[in-house]
Amino acid sequence: MLKKEELRDLSLKANAVRRHIIEMVYNAGSGHPGGSLSATDILVALYFHIMKYDAKNPKWEDRDRFVLSKGHAAPALYAVLAEKGVFPVEELLTLRKIGSRLQGHPDMRKLPGIEASTGSLGQGLSIANGMALAARLDRKLYNVYAMLGDGEIEEGQIWEAAMFASHNKLDNLIVFLDRNKLQIDGETETVMSIEPIADKWKAFGWEVREINGHNFNEITEAVEWAKTVKGKPVMIIAHTVKGKGVSFMEGAVHFHGKPPNDEEYEIAIKELDEERKEIMGNLGGGE
Amino acid sequence: MWEMASQRIAFGKTLVEIGKENKDLVVLGADLSSSTKTSFFEKEFPERFFNCGIAEANMMGVAAGLAASGKTVVASTFAVFATGRCYDQVRQSIAYPALNVKIVASHAGITVGGDGASHQTAEDIALMKVIPNMKVVVPVDAIETKKAVRAIIEEEGPYYMRMGRSDVPTITDEGDNFKIGKASMMREGSDVTIIATGIMVSQALKAAEMLRLEGIEAMVVNMSTIKPLDSTTTLMAAKKTGAVVTAEEHSVIFGLGNSVAITLGEKYPVPLKRVGIPDTFGESGEWNELMIKYGLTPDDIVSAVEDVIKQK
């Protein structure tokens, strides 16, 4: 269990990240708020509680790696890295603008802290496999984390990568599936049935656990458990809500790849500011 | 006449040599390691060889992840699969971030022979050369293959290297210089230049001997790097001889001939003809029969030369 203060700090971080996401996509006039908001709590837990990471030295050899295979959730990753201090928070508003290091999808050559250039779905898990293999070859103890979208696992390469990871017993690989149940054209089960997801990963030789992807205790405990698994890669199916944290975006498929308009922007920011006050109030906070 | 030797075996043996010196070299295969001869490396360094199975897309991603973690990676399979089947993985995961991955493919072109069009490829150079950050190398024989493998591993960044299935004539010497991006002069001549790559260089040399009997002196250039193209040598040859024929075991649409045509068209237009595989799929057959049927013989080069000389 997380301590009360830890939980408050993570909740405040997640709130700040969500606010950045809304500001970034609003400012850019395009981008993917839905899947960024569903991924936020997991990314915050990883970078602010779980991973061995030095923001001052994002190329530190022994760092844990994180690969955002669902590259369209880049705003969430950028906001987390900026909050972590890898680059200035002010730079977030350059998202998708010409000359920016914050490309529409992550570019590892442009922006520090980005471990893999992703965006074409289905490729990040293979890259994470390569990183996990490299750790073993170099006798390094770092873990490789990755996040897949649920629609993304419709890509065939994911299953090639799933086979490879278990065949090579990559137990330093811990993968989250952001199970927000929606993809661009609608519900995953309408567009292309991906259930039973847990059974599929088990059948491919993975250890699987299902959690609420918005509960910091469940996220951190699942990773603690994953680290104890030997000889197998781990899949954490995180049940999430697309658009989490902004009332009208929650479960709304059209906010997959559409920014809020002026009015929606105001409401979203107001909601997030109110949530912030609530977090501080409920937990006896005050910064 | 020339001795025949396998580029694949030269590649496999050289990888083992490099593996002894470079502990960061990792080799990936896709169930074809006995064909591409990465099996030699597997035998010597089983801990640094990974068979990815019949799953080329994942192989390219694994290569990217290893390279992003400081490894130098050679990923090897047949040319048609290495470039076509996982084009997007090569583009997105390897070339876009300019990772240190060397895609070394065998069974390129139509000399694959009996397997037919599904396993032949006349498009691999085209697919690779159009990707930013990707460089394309085509060693001419077994000796040059050894030097080319070393060179692309020593250089940083993504490379595509193509080899054939069949043994090819050994036309270079151990002492010859090999440099990425630098063509080599195989024969001096003043009337026409034949710029060739891969197996077509030896065909060009045969054509040059036939032309000599007609009183035509042909310069023969071995263009072993398609990208970046050695435009200096290309322009020098065009200025000196005033007519150019290109020759490649690849589609004429977007291979060596295309690169030479663009360079000359923009900077020094001279009469030009491209010898290569026409815009068509191949078929099963003996490799030498296919060379005849698809227009890749010394005779084909000779008639192209006669055409451009008439236009001078």
Side-chain angles (χ1 to χ4, degrees):
Chain A
M1 283 285 278
L2 294 163
K3 294 192 199 92
K4 203 173 167 188
E5 309 81 66
E6 288 175 329
L7 193 57
R8 184 198 59 189
D9 289 349
L10 290 174
S11 302
L12 285 173
K13 263 312 165 208
N15 174 273
V17 166
R18 287 197 163 92
R19 208 176 189 283
H20 289 315
I21 292 169
I22 296 300
E23 285 177 338
M24 288 162 83
V25 290
Y26 173 71
N27 224 268
S30 68
H32 299 83
S36 298
L37 293 168
S38 64
T40 295
D41 296 315
I42 295 163
L43 292 189
V44 166
L46 281 171
Y47 278 90
F48 289 93
H49 189 80
I50 295 167
M51 284 166 52
K52 283 181 292 177
Y53 197 79
D54 178 4
K56 296 284 166 288
N57 183 13
K59 288 278 168 203
W60 176 39
E61 276 191 16
D62 295 319
R63 72 191 182 281
D64 287 334
R65 271 75 167 165
F66 173 72
V67 175
L68 183 67
S69 194
K70 48 171 285 189
H72 56 278
L77 180 57
Y78 296 157
V80 164
L81 291 173
E83 282 288 326
K84 190 82 186 164
V86 178
F87 58 87
V89 168
E90 299 76 60
E91 203 173 334
L92 290 176
L93 291 185
T94 67
L95 174 74
R96 289 175 172 250
K97 308 259 190 214
I98 192 145
S100 172
R101 301 195 289 178
L102 279 63
Q103 292 293 294
H105 295 82
D107 179 344
M108 65 180 283
R109 289 293 176 194
K110 285 205 166 76
L111 191 65
I114 301 299
E115 302 284 5
S117 297
T118 53
S120 179
L121 292 174
Q123 303 195 16
L125 187 56
S126 300
I127 297 170
N129 279 341
M131 292 174 174
L133 269 188
R136 180 183 294 170
L137 287 170
D138 292 337
R139 301 184 195 288
K140 297 260 186 203
L141 295 174
Y142 64 78
N143 285 316
V144 180
Y145 297 91
M147 179 185 276
L148 309 181
D150 50 2
E152 183 182 14
I153 67 170
E154 292 159 14
E155 289 280 5
Q157 187 184 349
I158 290 293
W159 301 101
E160 295 184 5
M163 263 188 281
F164 183 93
S166 61
H167 178 82
N168 288 286
K169 303 182 171 54
L170 298 179
D171 53 15
N172 54 350
L173 177 65
I174 301 171
V175 180
F176 286 91
L177 182 78
D178 183 9
R179 181 69 175 118
N180 62 32
K181 296 158 198 75
L182 294 174
Q183 57 189 114
I184 298 178
D185 277 350
E187 293 177 8
T188 58
E189 296 316 285
T190 309
V191 177
M192 181 54 61
S193 312
I194 54 177
E195 293 288 356
I197 300 174
D199 290 346
K200 285 188 171 114
W201 288 90
K202 281 177 197 159
F204 274 75
W206 289 54
E207 280 292 323
V208 179
R209 181 174 279 196
E210 301 199 44
I211 62 162
N212 172 352
H214 299 305
N215 181 313
F216 288 117
N217 275 314
E218 291 192 27
I219 297 168
T220 53
E221 279 164 20
V223 171
E224 283 314 309
W225 160 78
K227 288 178 182 171
T228 66
V229 172
K230 296 291 165 225
K232 282 181 173 190
V234 167
M235 166 56 70
I236 300 169
I237 299 171
H239 293 276
T240 58
V241 175
K242 199 150 185 171
K244 175 74 176 175
V246 176
S247 61
F248 57 89
M249 287 188 178
E250 290 192 357
V253 72
H254 61 281
F255 278 110
H256 171 93
K258 188 175 85 83
N261 62 28
D262 294 351
E263 193 190 338
E264 289 162 343
Y265 171 75
E266 296 297 336
I267 299 170
I269 292 296
K270 202 170 148 229
E271 284 183 13
L272 289 167
D273 286 348
E274 275 164 15
E275 186 201 54
R276 182 170 196 84
K277 282 182 204 148
E278 221 172 279
I279 296 165
M280 285 158 55
N282 278 352
L283 291 151
E287 282 174 293
Chain B
M1 221 45 214
W2 302 298
E3 279 181 29
M4 303 292 279
S6 161
Q7 291 182 291
R8 292 184 281 151
I9 291 174
F11 160 64
K13 285 183 176 170
T14 309
L15 269 190
V16 172
E17 284 171 26
I18 301 170
K20 286 176 187 158
E21 305 148 17
N22 181 350
K23 302 292 174 207
D24 279 328
L25 180 66
V26 179
V27 177
L28 305 179
D31 199 39
L32 288 169
S33 51
S34 52
S35 295
T36 63
K37 303 302 175 197
T38 51
S39 50
F40 300 168
F41 189 92
E42 177 181 20
K43 190 155 176 271
E44 200 77 22
F45 308 105
E47 72 290 350
R48 283 191 275 148
F49 176 84
F50 297 94
N51 199 329
C52 299
I54 310 166
E56 296 81 5
N58 178 59
M59 174 171 77
M60 293 305 176
V62 169
L66 283 161
S69 312
K71 301 296 174 192
T72 299
V73 187
V74 170
S76 190
T77 181
F78 288 180
V80 66
F81 307 132
T83 62
R85 184 170 190 102
C86 40
Y87 184 79
D88 193 50
Q89 286 75 18
V90 173
R91 178 186 187 272
Q92 311 267 5
S93 290
I94 294 171
Y96 177 37
L99 289 168
N100 208 15
V101 176
K102 323 299 171 184
I103 300 161
V104 179
S106 69
H107 294 60
I110 60 163
T111 50
V112 174
D115 277 349
S118 61
H119 284 57
Q120 298 162 344
T121 175
E123 312 96 69
D124 57 322
I125 291 173
L127 288 169
M128 291 297 105
K129 83 170 185 176
V130 77
I131 303 178
N133 293 334
M134 183 62 77
K135 293 176 179 153
V136 179
V137 174
V138 185
V140 73
D141 61 12
I143 289 175
E144 199 170 80
T145 297
K146 292 192 273 182
K147 296 171 190 168
V149 180
R150 282 194 176 276
I152 63 172
I153 287 175
E154 276 162 25
E155 296 288 322
E156 192 65 28
Y159 274 87
Y160 174 66
M161 186 178 116
R162 106 190 289 234
M163 303 177 295
R165 168 180 178 269
S166 314
D167 290 358
V168 294
T170 300
I171 58 171
T172 65
D173 292 323
E174 296 284 355
D176 292 344
N177 272 330
F178 173 82
K179 201 162 173 286
I180 292 164
K182 186 84 190 80
S184 47
M185 187 66 67
M186 304 300 292
R187 187 185 193 282
E188 290 287 353
S190 50
D191 300 323
V192 66
T193 304
I194 307 167
I195 301 177
T197 194
I199 195 172
M200 293 306 287
V201 180
S202 56
Q203 301 289 69
L205 289 169
K206 288 180 201 161
E209 282 309 305
M210 291 157 69
L211 288 162
R212 189 173 58 87
L213 301 177
E214 295 178 26
I216 298 169
E217 287 302 327
M219 179 189 291
V220 177
V221 172
N222 168 23
M223 193 63 80
S224 46
T225 306
I226 308 294
K227 183 188 170 190
L229 190 81
D230 182 351
S231 52
T232 310
T233 300
T234 303
L235 290 167
M236 176 280 292
K239 284 172 189 168
K240 187 171 173 195
T241 63
V244 172
V245 167
T246 61
E248 63 196 303
E249 187 205 354
H250 183 273
S251 167
V252 288
I253 291 182
F254 204 63
L256 169 69
N258 160 271
S259 293
V260 169
I262 288 166
T263 303
L264 295 180
E266 287 183 348
K267 294 188 176 140
Y268 193 82
V270 296
L272 172 83
K273 278 211 98 163
R274 294 164 300 147
V275 171
I277 299 171
D279 184 18
T280 180
F281 286 104
E283 62 183 293
S284 295
E286 291 297 327
W287 71 270
N288 45 351
E289 296 171 339
L290 292 163
M291 295 283 280
I292 295 166
K293 184 158 181 180
Y294 289 85
L296 304 173
T297 65
D299 286 330
D300 295 303
I301 297 171
V302 166
S303 50
V305 164
E306 288 164 353
D307 281 354
V308 291
I309 284 183
K310 271 184 222 146
Q311 294 170 40
K312 269 173 87 169

